[in-house]
Amino acid sequence: MGVPGNPPPPGLAETELFAVDAYRTEFDATVTDVDREGGRVALARTAFYPMGGGQPSDTGTIQTPEGTLTVTGVRRERGTIWHTVEGDLPDVGVEAQGAIDWDRRHRLMRTHTALHVLCGVIWADYSIPVTGGNMEPMKGRLDFPFPAMSADLGATVERRINEEIAKAHEIVVDFLPRSIADTDPALIRTSANLIPQEIDPLRVIDIVGLDRQADGGTHVLSTAEVGGVRVVGTESKGKDNKRIRIEVVGSSGGDEG
Ligand SMILES: [Zn+2]
């Protein structure tokens, strides 16, 4: 399905399942490490997204021979992805089955994609790059260094976002060699060239024809799957910093849940 991007680097598809297939909800994996004090486990591979890039971590369950663990948070720490859990901790080496809370994850995928559409619209219409942001399921915010903000900016931006969503732009996960990524104007404008050179290839989320940025998060396959967006606030956060808040509304083209 979709336009093929460059393949992921060796090993990633076998370890960080969320990075190559955002629609993977269940997986088997060996427990590779247990932090008894911290109440957390590491797995040989995982579909749980670790918090990062403004996207919160996934929740869900991990089934082990000792019973069901509830995953309350996931974090990457010096290369290891740790799942913070409630329940009886398993031993290293046992086989476990993970399942992410898909409802919540899919809402985050729609929200994350909506924020990229917002980035793309602001760049296309005003040539202003994004400087920061955050999200939770179905709502998010981004900051832009607008020198001034017109009273009807919110309404204008909302109309433009929904126009682009309706075009059903395809979304491709690409793994671009740095030699190519570092000369890509869209990636330079989102400061991807500042990412350490050891990160090669660079994972790029391409909303084909609208927005390209280096990104570790999970996104839907088409902008149509976002549903709709409402701009619920525009605020001035200092002289050259304007914050735009959005909510994702409506049902998703890809999932009527
Ligand atoms: Zn992103």
Side-chain angles (χ1 to χ4, degrees):
M1 190 186 322
V3 179
N6 291 292
L12 193 71
E14 289 78 48
T15 54
E16 302 191 5
L17 307 172
F18 55 86
V20 294
D21 182 6
Y23 291 78
R24 179 79 178 258
T25 61
E26 296 183 4
F27 62 99
D28 303 319
T30 308
V31 174
T32 52
D33 210 348
V34 178
D35 170 7
R36 296 199 175 268
E37 242 163 61
R40 42 190 208 162
V41 298
L43 305 170
R45 57 188 197 148
T46 187
F48 283 90
Y49 180 72
M51 184 171 78
Q55 183 177 331
S57 58
D58 287 326
T59 57
T61 58
I62 297 171
Q63 200 73 41
T64 77
E66 279 77 24
T68 304
L69 301 170
T70 303
V71 178
T72 58
V74 189
R75 258 173 203 276
R76 190 191 297 272
E77 213 175 87
R78 275 170 270 127
T80 300
I81 296 175
W82 287 104
H83 307 73
T84 301
V85 295
E86 286 167 1
D88 293 333
L89 291 170
D91 292 322
V92 171
V94 306
E95 287 302 312
Q97 291 80 42
I100 63 171
D101 177 343
W102 173 243
D103 230 46
R104 179 172 184 279
R105 156 67 88 71
H106 192 243
R107 285 176 184 171
L108 284 165
M109 285 159 59
R110 290 169 67 191
T111 308
H112 200 151
T113 305
L115 291 172
H116 284 220
V117 174
L118 171 58
C119 282
V121 162
I122 297 290
W123 180 255
D125 296 357
Y126 307 95
S127 301
I128 293 176
V130 65
T131 52
N134 214 344
M135 78 192 81
E136 49 190 287
M138 303 304 260
K139 57 167 107 172
R141 61 167 172 82
L142 291 178
D143 293 342
F144 300 93
F146 274 104
M149 189 160 56
S150 66
D152 63 351
L153 179 76
T156 306
V157 167
E158 178 176 296
R159 181 178 51 76
R160 286 283 293 116
I161 296 172
N162 287 304
E163 261 172 32
E164 295 297 339
I165 285 174
K167 288 182 192 167
H169 292 275
E170 191 153 18
I171 299 161
V172 177
V173 182
D174 203 353
F175 292 88
L176 272 188
R178 285 307 287 264
S179 53
I180 297 171
D182 287 349
T183 60
D184 183 312
L187 298 179
I188 290 170
R189 89 134 144 117
T190 51
S191 305
N193 53 322
L194 303 180
I195 295 170
Q197 285 295 321
E198 309 84 88
I199 313 273
D200 187 4
L202 210 53
R203 185 175 185 271
V204 170
I205 300 299
D206 188 3
I207 302 186
V208 179
L210 180 67
D211 183 81
R212 285 161 69 71
Q213 44 186 297
D215 197 293
T218 60
H219 305 75
V220 292
L221 284 169
S222 156
T223 56
E225 204 175 321
V226 172
V229 164
R230 257 200 338 245
V231 172
V232 293
T234 53
E235 299 152 36
S236 203
K237 307 292 283 184
K239 187 162 83 66
D240 285 332
N241 186 27
K242 306 292 180 283
R243 179 164 289 176
I244 300 179
R245 293 180 185 279
I246 62 164
E247 277 179 18
V248 176
V249 295
S251 67
S252 168
D255 167 350
E256 294 305 313

PDB file of all heavy atoms in Angstrom, residues 53 112 116 213 215 219, ligand 1:
ATOM      1  N   GLY A  53       9.389  13.690  20.557  1.00  0.00           N
ATOM      2  CA  GLY A  53       8.961  14.530  19.448  1.00  0.00           C
ATOM      3  C   GLY A  53       7.576  15.118  19.663  1.00  0.00           C
ATOM      4  O   GLY A  53       6.871  15.383  18.694  1.00  0.00           O
ATOM      5  N   HIS A 112      -1.118  13.745  15.311  1.00  0.00           N
ATOM      6  CA  HIS A 112       0.250  14.051  14.878  1.00  0.00           C
ATOM      7  C   HIS A 112       0.246  14.471  13.401  1.00  0.00           C
ATOM      8  O   HIS A 112       0.893  15.444  13.016  1.00  0.00           O
ATOM      9  CB  HIS A 112       1.153  12.841  15.111  1.00  0.00           C
ATOM     10  CG  HIS A 112       2.603  13.185  15.143  1.00  0.00           C
ATOM     11  ND1 HIS A 112       3.535  12.492  15.864  1.00  0.00           N
ATOM     12  CD2 HIS A 112       3.293  14.177  14.526  1.00  0.00           C
ATOM     13  CE1 HIS A 112       4.727  13.052  15.685  1.00  0.00           C
ATOM     14  NE2 HIS A 112       4.609  14.068  14.871  1.00  0.00           N
ATOM     15  N   HIS A 116       1.254  18.114  11.371  1.00  0.00           N
ATOM     16  CA  HIS A 116       2.124  18.264  10.197  1.00  0.00           C
ATOM     17  C   HIS A 116       1.398  19.026   9.080  1.00  0.00           C
ATOM     18  O   HIS A 116       2.019  19.796   8.354  1.00  0.00           O
ATOM     19  CB  HIS A 116       2.587  16.907   9.671  1.00  0.00           C
ATOM     20  CG  HIS A 116       3.662  16.285  10.499  1.00  0.00           C
ATOM     21  ND1 HIS A 116       4.728  15.615   9.944  1.00  0.00           N
ATOM     22  CD2 HIS A 116       3.852  16.230  11.833  1.00  0.00           C
ATOM     23  CE1 HIS A 116       5.512  15.166  10.913  1.00  0.00           C
ATOM     24  NE2 HIS A 116       4.996  15.519  12.064  1.00  0.00           N
ATOM     25  N   GLN A 213       9.270  16.306   6.894  1.00  0.00           N
ATOM     26  CA  GLN A 213      10.145  16.598   8.020  1.00  0.00           C
ATOM     27  C   GLN A 213      10.710  15.327   8.637  1.00  0.00           C
ATOM     28  O   GLN A 213      10.098  14.267   8.566  1.00  0.00           O
ATOM     29  CB  GLN A 213       9.475  17.479   9.067  1.00  0.00           C
ATOM     30  CG  GLN A 213       8.058  17.133   9.437  1.00  0.00           C
ATOM     31  CD  GLN A 213       7.492  18.186  10.384  1.00  0.00           C
ATOM     32  OE1 GLN A 213       7.996  18.357  11.493  1.00  0.00           O
ATOM     33  NE2 GLN A 213       6.461  18.885   9.962  1.00  0.00           N
ATOM     34  N   ASP A 215      11.324  12.916  11.486  1.00  0.00           N
ATOM     35  CA  ASP A 215      10.332  12.684  12.528  1.00  0.00           C
ATOM     36  C   ASP A 215      10.367  11.234  12.985  1.00  0.00           C
ATOM     37  O   ASP A 215      10.468  10.322  12.168  1.00  0.00           O
ATOM     38  CB  ASP A 215       8.945  12.987  11.946  1.00  0.00           C
ATOM     39  CG  ASP A 215       7.882  13.171  12.995  1.00  0.00           C
ATOM     40  OD1 ASP A 215       7.553  12.189  13.685  1.00  0.00           O
ATOM     41  OD2 ASP A 215       7.385  14.290  13.121  1.00  0.00           O
ATOM     42  N   HIS A 219       2.143   8.208  12.241  1.00  0.00           N
ATOM     43  CA  HIS A 219       1.216   9.022  11.446  1.00  0.00           C
ATOM     44  C   HIS A 219       0.276   8.109  10.667  1.00  0.00           C
ATOM     45  O   HIS A 219       0.590   6.941  10.452  1.00  0.00           O
ATOM     46  CB  HIS A 219       2.008   9.899  10.470  1.00  0.00           C
ATOM     47  CG  HIS A 219       3.044  10.755  11.141  1.00  0.00           C
ATOM     48  ND1 HIS A 219       4.233  10.243  11.608  1.00  0.00           N
ATOM     49  CD2 HIS A 219       3.056  12.069  11.449  1.00  0.00           C
ATOM     50  CE1 HIS A 219       4.932  11.211  12.179  1.00  0.00           C
ATOM     51  NE2 HIS A 219       4.245  12.322  12.101  1.00  0.00           N
TER      52      HIS A 219
HETATM   53 ZN    ZN B   1       5.921  15.187  13.896  1.00  0.00          ZN
END
